[in-house]
Amino acid sequence: MPLGEFEVIARFFSRASGRSDVLLGVGDDAALLQPPAGQAVVAATDTLVEGRHFLPGTPPAAIGHQALAVNLSDLAAMGAEPAWALLSLAMPQSDERWLAEFARGLYELADKHGVALVGGDTVSGPLVVTIEVLGFVPPQLALKRSGARPGDLLFVSGSPGEAAAGLDLLRQGIERFDSQDTRVRRFLSAKPRIALGRALRGRATAAMDVSDGLLGDLGKLARSSGVGARVDLERLPISSVLASHYDQETCERYVLQGGDDYELLFTLPPQCASLAAQIEAEGACSVRCIGEVTAGDRVECVRNGSVVAIAGKGYDHFAG
Ligand code: ADP
Ligand code: MG
Protein backbone atom coordinates (compact mmCIF):
# COMPACT_ATOMS: atom_id res chain seq x y z
CA MET A 1 0.00 0.00 0.00
CA PRO A 2 1.49 3.35 -0.99
CA LEU A 3 1.55 5.94 1.79
CA GLY A 4 -0.82 8.90 1.63
CA GLU A 5 0.47 12.47 1.48
CA PHE A 6 -0.05 13.14 5.18
CA GLU A 7 1.53 9.87 6.22
CA VAL A 8 4.56 10.76 4.09
CA ILE A 9 4.91 14.12 5.85
CA ALA A 10 4.33 12.65 9.30
CA ARG A 11 6.67 9.68 8.83
CA PHE A 12 9.57 11.29 6.99
CA PHE A 13 9.56 15.05 7.27
CA SER A 14 8.26 15.94 10.73
CA ARG A 15 11.32 15.49 12.90
CA ALA A 16 11.56 17.90 15.81
CA SER A 17 13.99 20.66 14.89
CA GLY A 18 15.89 21.32 18.10
CA ARG A 19 16.30 24.98 17.10
CA SER A 20 14.78 27.51 19.47
CA ASP A 21 14.32 29.98 16.60
CA VAL A 22 11.71 27.66 15.05
CA LEU A 23 8.57 28.87 16.82
CA LEU A 24 6.40 26.61 14.68
CA GLY A 25 7.68 24.01 12.23
CA VAL A 26 6.02 21.37 10.07
CA GLY A 27 2.29 20.89 10.71
CA ASP A 28 0.60 24.25 10.41
CA ASP A 29 -0.14 26.25 7.27
CA ALA A 30 3.29 27.87 7.42
CA ALA A 31 6.34 27.96 9.65
CA LEU A 32 6.98 30.71 12.20
CA LEU A 33 10.65 31.62 12.39
CA GLN A 34 12.55 34.08 14.56
CA PRO A 35 15.59 35.59 12.85
CA PRO A 36 18.30 36.97 15.16
CA ALA A 37 18.28 40.73 15.73
CA GLY A 38 20.60 42.74 13.51
CA GLN A 39 21.15 40.03 10.90
CA ALA A 40 19.85 39.89 7.36
CA VAL A 41 17.91 36.82 6.27
CA VAL A 42 19.59 35.17 3.28
CA ALA A 43 17.27 33.09 1.06
CA ALA A 44 18.05 30.74 -1.82
CA THR A 45 16.23 28.01 -3.70
CA ASP A 46 17.32 25.38 -6.18
CA THR A 47 15.45 22.64 -8.02
CA LEU A 48 16.69 19.22 -9.06
CA VAL A 49 14.90 17.51 -11.95
CA GLU A 50 15.44 13.81 -12.61
CA GLY A 51 17.36 13.27 -15.84
CA ARG A 52 18.61 16.83 -15.84
CA HIS A 53 20.29 17.38 -12.46
CA PHE A 54 20.66 13.78 -11.46
CA LEU A 55 20.85 10.59 -13.49
CA PRO A 56 17.98 8.12 -13.44
CA GLY A 57 18.85 5.44 -10.88
CA THR A 58 20.69 7.83 -8.55
CA PRO A 59 20.41 6.46 -4.99
CA PRO A 60 17.70 8.42 -3.14
CA ALA A 61 20.08 9.27 -0.25
CA ALA A 62 22.37 10.99 -2.77
CA ILE A 63 19.41 12.96 -4.18
CA GLY A 64 18.42 14.09 -0.67
CA HIS A 65 22.01 15.12 0.04
CA GLN A 66 22.50 16.90 -3.27
CA ALA A 67 19.22 18.83 -3.12
CA LEU A 68 20.25 20.40 0.18
CA ALA A 69 23.95 20.68 -0.67
CA VAL A 70 23.40 22.84 -3.76
CA ASN A 71 21.29 25.21 -1.69
CA LEU A 72 23.71 25.37 1.22
CA SER A 73 26.43 26.12 -1.29
CA ASP A 74 24.54 29.26 -2.30
CA LEU A 75 24.39 30.35 1.34
CA ALA A 76 28.11 29.60 1.73
CA ALA A 77 28.78 31.87 -1.23
CA MET A 78 27.01 34.70 0.62
CA GLY A 79 28.97 34.10 3.82
CA ALA A 80 25.73 33.08 5.52
CA GLU A 81 25.04 30.78 8.46
CA PRO A 82 22.33 28.30 7.38
CA ALA A 83 19.32 27.84 9.67
CA TRP A 84 16.12 26.62 8.03
CA ALA A 85 14.97 24.72 4.96
CA LEU A 86 11.71 24.01 3.13
CA LEU A 87 11.26 21.03 0.85
CA SER A 88 8.90 20.70 -2.11
CA LEU A 89 8.82 17.13 -3.25
CA ALA A 90 7.05 15.92 -6.40
CA MET A 91 7.30 12.17 -6.96
CA PRO A 92 5.47 9.63 -9.11
CA GLN A 93 4.61 7.35 -6.17
CA SER A 94 5.14 7.30 -2.43
CA ASP A 95 7.68 4.51 -2.15
CA GLU A 96 8.49 3.94 1.51
CA ARG A 97 12.02 2.68 0.99
CA TRP A 98 12.84 5.49 -1.42
CA LEU A 99 11.50 8.09 1.01
CA ALA A 100 13.40 6.65 3.98
CA GLU A 101 16.69 6.80 2.08
CA PHE A 102 15.97 10.24 0.61
CA ALA A 103 15.18 11.61 4.08
CA ARG A 104 18.30 9.98 5.52
CA GLY A 105 20.56 11.70 2.97
CA LEU A 106 18.82 15.01 3.50
CA TYR A 107 18.80 14.97 7.32
CA GLU A 108 22.38 13.77 7.53
CA LEU A 109 23.61 16.92 5.81
CA ALA A 110 21.03 19.11 7.57
CA ASP A 111 22.23 17.86 10.96
CA LYS A 112 25.84 18.50 10.03
CA HIS A 113 25.02 22.18 9.54
CA GLY A 114 22.34 22.55 12.21
CA VAL A 115 19.62 23.15 9.61
CA ALA A 116 15.98 22.55 10.57
CA LEU A 117 13.43 21.37 7.99
CA VAL A 118 10.48 23.62 8.81
CA GLY A 119 7.99 22.99 6.01
CA GLY A 120 7.36 22.12 2.43
CA ASP A 121 4.94 20.57 0.02
CA THR A 122 4.35 17.01 -1.10
CA VAL A 123 2.70 16.27 -4.42
CA SER A 124 2.55 13.56 -7.06
CA GLY A 125 4.24 14.14 -10.40
CA PRO A 126 7.55 13.50 -12.14
CA LEU A 127 10.44 13.40 -9.67
CA VAL A 128 11.37 17.02 -8.91
CA VAL A 129 12.99 18.16 -5.66
CA THR A 130 12.99 21.84 -4.73
CA ILE A 131 14.58 23.09 -1.54
CA GLU A 132 14.61 26.59 -0.19
CA VAL A 133 17.17 27.46 2.45
CA LEU A 134 17.24 30.41 4.80
CA GLY A 135 20.16 31.64 6.82
CA PHE A 136 21.64 34.76 8.36
CA VAL A 137 24.49 37.13 7.84
CA PRO A 138 25.28 40.56 9.27
CA PRO A 139 24.24 42.62 6.21
CA GLN A 140 27.49 44.58 5.96
CA LEU A 141 29.48 41.32 5.86
CA ALA A 142 27.48 39.51 3.15
CA LEU A 143 29.64 38.28 0.28
CA LYS A 144 28.49 39.42 -3.14
CA ARG A 145 29.58 38.86 -6.71
CA SER A 146 29.88 42.55 -7.36
CA GLY A 147 32.82 43.81 -5.31
CA ALA A 148 35.90 42.59 -7.21
CA ARG A 149 38.37 45.34 -8.17
CA PRO A 150 41.29 45.30 -10.65
CA GLY A 151 44.39 44.06 -8.84
CA ASP A 152 42.44 41.74 -6.52
CA LEU A 153 43.71 38.18 -6.44
CA LEU A 154 41.45 35.40 -7.66
CA PHE A 155 41.09 32.22 -5.58
CA VAL A 156 39.25 28.92 -5.82
CA SER A 157 38.73 26.38 -3.05
CA GLY A 158 39.30 22.64 -2.98
CA SER A 159 39.65 20.49 -6.08
CA PRO A 160 37.31 21.64 -8.85
CA GLY A 161 36.87 19.23 -11.75
CA GLU A 162 36.70 15.99 -9.78
CA ALA A 163 32.90 16.00 -9.60
CA ALA A 164 32.52 16.47 -13.36
CA ALA A 165 34.92 13.58 -13.92
CA GLY A 166 32.78 11.49 -11.56
CA LEU A 167 29.64 12.37 -13.52
CA ASP A 168 31.33 11.25 -16.74
CA LEU A 169 32.29 7.92 -15.15
CA LEU A 170 28.68 7.31 -14.13
CA ARG A 171 27.26 8.45 -17.45
CA GLN A 172 29.59 6.22 -19.40
CA GLY A 173 28.76 3.28 -17.16
CA ILE A 174 32.42 2.94 -16.14
CA GLU A 175 31.59 3.29 -12.45
CA ARG A 176 28.41 2.53 -10.51
CA PHE A 177 26.64 4.72 -7.99
CA ASP A 178 28.10 2.74 -5.09
CA SER A 179 31.66 3.18 -6.41
CA GLN A 180 34.21 4.40 -3.87
CA ASP A 181 36.17 6.25 -6.58
CA THR A 182 36.97 9.75 -5.27
CA ARG A 183 35.54 11.38 -8.38
CA VAL A 184 32.21 9.58 -8.05
CA ARG A 185 32.00 10.32 -4.32
CA ARG A 186 32.76 13.98 -5.01
CA PHE A 187 29.93 14.13 -7.55
CA LEU A 188 27.39 12.34 -5.35
CA SER A 189 28.23 13.99 -2.03
CA ALA A 190 29.27 17.59 -2.55
CA LYS A 191 30.39 19.41 0.60
CA PRO A 192 29.00 22.94 0.79
CA ARG A 193 31.78 25.31 1.88
CA ILE A 194 29.91 26.93 4.75
CA ALA A 195 32.96 27.36 7.00
CA LEU A 196 34.93 28.89 4.15
CA GLY A 197 32.13 31.36 3.39
CA ARG A 198 32.18 32.42 7.03
CA ALA A 199 35.97 32.78 6.95
CA LEU A 200 35.66 35.08 3.93
CA ARG A 201 33.33 37.53 5.66
CA GLY A 202 34.84 40.97 5.75
CA ARG A 203 37.83 39.74 3.72
CA ALA A 204 36.70 38.72 0.22
CA THR A 205 35.74 41.55 -2.11
CA ALA A 206 33.55 39.16 -4.15
CA ALA A 207 32.51 35.52 -3.97
CA MET A 208 30.28 32.97 -5.66
CA ASP A 209 29.92 29.22 -5.71
CA VAL A 210 31.04 27.24 -8.73
CA SER A 211 28.18 25.11 -9.99
CA ASP A 212 28.26 25.47 -13.78
CA GLY A 213 32.01 25.38 -14.38
CA LEU A 214 34.77 27.65 -13.07
CA LEU A 215 35.35 29.66 -16.22
CA GLY A 216 31.68 30.33 -16.99
CA ASP A 217 30.99 31.24 -13.38
CA LEU A 218 34.03 33.50 -13.28
CA GLY A 219 32.48 35.34 -16.24
CA LYS A 220 29.38 35.96 -14.12
CA LEU A 221 31.43 37.29 -11.20
CA ALA A 222 33.44 39.53 -13.53
CA ARG A 223 30.29 40.90 -15.18
CA SER A 224 28.69 41.62 -11.81
CA SER A 225 31.79 43.48 -10.68
CA GLY A 226 32.34 45.28 -14.00
CA VAL A 227 35.86 43.89 -14.31
CA GLY A 228 37.86 41.35 -16.29
CA ALA A 229 39.95 38.47 -14.99
CA ARG A 230 43.08 36.53 -15.87
CA VAL A 231 43.42 32.86 -15.02
CA ASP A 232 47.01 31.55 -14.96
CA LEU A 233 46.69 27.99 -16.21
CA GLU A 234 49.88 26.85 -14.52
CA ARG A 235 48.36 27.79 -11.15
CA LEU A 236 45.19 25.69 -11.50
CA PRO A 237 44.70 23.27 -8.59
CA ILE A 238 44.86 19.97 -10.48
CA SER A 239 44.28 17.33 -7.83
CA SER A 240 46.49 14.26 -7.68
CA VAL A 241 43.38 12.21 -8.43
CA LEU A 242 42.78 14.06 -11.70
CA ALA A 243 46.48 14.08 -12.57
CA SER A 244 46.72 10.32 -12.10
CA HIS A 245 43.86 9.61 -14.52
CA TYR A 246 44.02 12.19 -17.30
CA ASP A 247 46.46 14.11 -19.46
CA GLN A 248 47.13 17.77 -18.70
CA GLU A 249 44.65 19.11 -21.23
CA THR A 250 41.80 16.94 -19.94
CA CYS A 251 42.61 17.90 -16.34
CA GLU A 252 42.47 21.59 -17.25
CA ARG A 253 39.21 21.10 -19.09
CA TYR A 254 37.63 19.42 -16.05
CA VAL A 255 38.90 22.11 -13.69
CA LEU A 256 37.82 25.01 -15.90
CA GLN A 257 34.59 23.69 -17.36
CA GLY A 258 33.34 20.81 -15.25
CA GLY A 259 30.17 21.55 -13.29
CA ASP A 260 28.83 20.36 -9.94
CA ASP A 261 31.92 21.36 -7.94
CA TYR A 262 30.28 23.55 -5.33
CA GLU A 263 33.62 25.11 -4.54
CA LEU A 264 33.88 28.84 -3.83
CA LEU A 265 35.44 31.29 -6.24
CA PHE A 266 36.48 34.53 -4.53
CA THR A 267 38.67 37.58 -4.73
CA LEU A 268 40.92 39.07 -2.06
CA PRO A 269 42.54 42.48 -2.14
CA PRO A 270 46.31 42.03 -2.67
CA GLN A 271 47.12 43.08 0.90
CA CYS A 272 44.94 40.17 2.14
CA ALA A 273 46.85 37.49 0.20
CA SER A 274 48.81 36.68 3.36
CA LEU A 275 45.51 35.66 4.98
CA ALA A 276 45.16 32.65 2.68
CA ALA A 277 46.63 30.21 5.21
CA GLN A 278 44.34 31.50 7.94
CA ILE A 279 41.35 31.30 5.60
CA GLU A 280 42.27 27.69 4.82
CA ALA A 281 42.41 26.83 8.50
CA GLU A 282 39.14 28.56 9.36
CA GLY A 283 37.43 27.31 6.21
CA ALA A 284 38.68 23.74 6.66
CA CYS A 285 39.67 23.44 3.01
CA SER A 286 42.51 24.39 0.72
CA VAL A 287 42.36 27.55 -1.36
CA ARG A 288 44.52 28.39 -4.37
CA CYS A 289 45.32 31.68 -6.04
CA ILE A 290 44.67 31.11 -9.75
CA GLY A 291 44.93 34.58 -11.19
CA GLU A 292 44.00 38.19 -10.89
CA VAL A 293 41.15 40.61 -11.44
CA THR A 294 41.87 42.95 -14.34
CA ALA A 295 40.49 46.20 -15.70
CA GLY A 296 38.21 45.85 -18.72
CA ASP A 297 35.72 43.08 -19.30
CA ARG A 298 37.68 40.13 -20.69
CA VAL A 299 38.09 36.81 -18.92
CA GLU A 300 41.30 35.30 -20.23
CA CYS A 301 43.33 32.18 -19.63
CA VAL A 302 47.07 32.66 -19.82
CA ARG A 303 49.89 30.13 -20.07
CA ASN A 304 53.51 31.34 -19.79
CA GLY A 305 52.35 34.85 -20.46
CA SER A 306 50.35 34.08 -23.63
CA VAL A 307 46.56 34.13 -23.90
CA VAL A 308 45.13 30.67 -24.59
CA ALA A 309 41.69 30.23 -26.14
CA ILE A 310 39.48 27.79 -24.23
CA ALA A 311 36.54 26.43 -26.19
CA GLY A 312 33.14 26.03 -24.57
CA LYS A 313 31.24 27.89 -21.91
CA GLY A 314 29.52 27.17 -18.63
CA TYR A 315 26.24 25.31 -18.40
CA ASP A 316 23.07 27.11 -19.50
CA HIS A 317 19.72 25.32 -19.31
CA PHE A 318 18.19 27.24 -22.17
CA ALA A 319 21.20 27.44 -24.49
CA GLY A 320 20.73 25.38 -27.66
P1 ADP B 1 -1.21 23.23 3.08
O1 ADP B 1 -2.25 22.44 2.37
O2 ADP B 1 -1.71 24.18 4.10
O3 ADP B 1 -0.18 23.82 2.16
P2 ADP B 1 0.12 20.79 3.48
O4 ADP B 1 -0.90 19.77 3.75
O5 ADP B 1 0.69 20.90 2.11
O6 ADP B 1 -0.42 22.18 3.98
O7 ADP B 1 1.34 20.58 4.48
C1 ADP B 1 1.10 20.34 5.85
C2 ADP B 1 2.33 20.70 6.64
O8 ADP B 1 3.37 19.84 6.26
C3 ADP B 1 2.84 22.11 6.38
O9 ADP B 1 3.38 22.58 7.59
C4 ADP B 1 3.90 21.91 5.36
O10 ADP B 1 4.89 22.94 5.44
C5 ADP B 1 4.47 20.58 5.76
N1 ADP B 1 5.04 19.79 4.64
C6 ADP B 1 4.40 19.30 3.57
N2 ADP B 1 5.23 18.61 2.78
C7 ADP B 1 6.45 18.65 3.37
C8 ADP B 1 7.74 18.13 3.06
N3 ADP B 1 7.96 17.41 1.95
N4 ADP B 1 8.76 18.40 3.90
C9 ADP B 1 8.57 19.16 5.00
N5 ADP B 1 7.38 19.66 5.37
C10 ADP B 1 6.33 19.41 4.57
MG1 MG C 1 0.76 22.64 0.81
Side-chain angles (χ1 to χ4, degrees), residues 48 53-70 101-102 104-106 108-109 112 161-171 175-192 259-262:
L48 301 190
H53 301 93
F54 55 90
L55 303 167
T58 301
I63 299 172
H65 174 98
Q66 189 74 351
L68 184 59
V70 299
E101 279 299 290
F102 172 84
R104 184 175 67 77
L106 179 85
E108 219 168 80
L109 183 62
K112 206 174 261 168
E162 289 183 352
L167 171 59
D168 279 349
L169 293 173
L170 292 170
R171 244 195 214 134
E175 293 288 342
R176 294 172 6 160
F177 289 105
D178 59 2
S179 163
Q180 289 311 304
D181 186 286
T182 307
R183 296 162 290 176
V184 173
R185 295 329 312 159
R186 283 268 313 185
F187 174 69
L188 291 176
S189 55
K191 287 193 178 63
D260 301 294
D261 293 315
Y262 303 103

Side-chain angles (χ1 to χ4, degrees), residues 140-210:
Q140 69 284 6
L141 296 182
L143 306 173
K144 300 178 201 142
R145 296 180 180 185
S146 55
R149 291 294 163 258
D152 285 355
L153 299 173
L154 179 65
F155 287 80
V156 70
S157 65
S159 33
E162 289 183 352
L167 171 59
D168 279 349
L169 293 173
L170 292 170
R171 244 195 214 134
Q172 294 158 4
I174 296 169
E175 293 288 342
R176 294 172 6 160
F177 289 105
D178 59 2
S179 163
Q180 289 311 304
D181 186 286
T182 307
R183 296 162 290 176
V184 173
R185 295 329 312 159
R186 283 268 313 185
F187 174 69
L188 291 176
S189 55
K191 287 193 178 63
R193 300 295 190 190
I194 297 290
L196 177 58
R198 208 185 298 118
L200 294 175
R201 285 180 179 181
R203 291 169 169 164
T205 46
M208 71 180 298
D209 70 327
V210 181

Side-chain angles (χ1 to χ4, degrees), residues 5 22 49 54 80 152 183 199 209 244 270 279:
E5 176 187 337
V22 178
V49 177
F54 55 90
D152 285 355
R183 296 162 290 176
D209 70 327
S244 69
I279 288 171

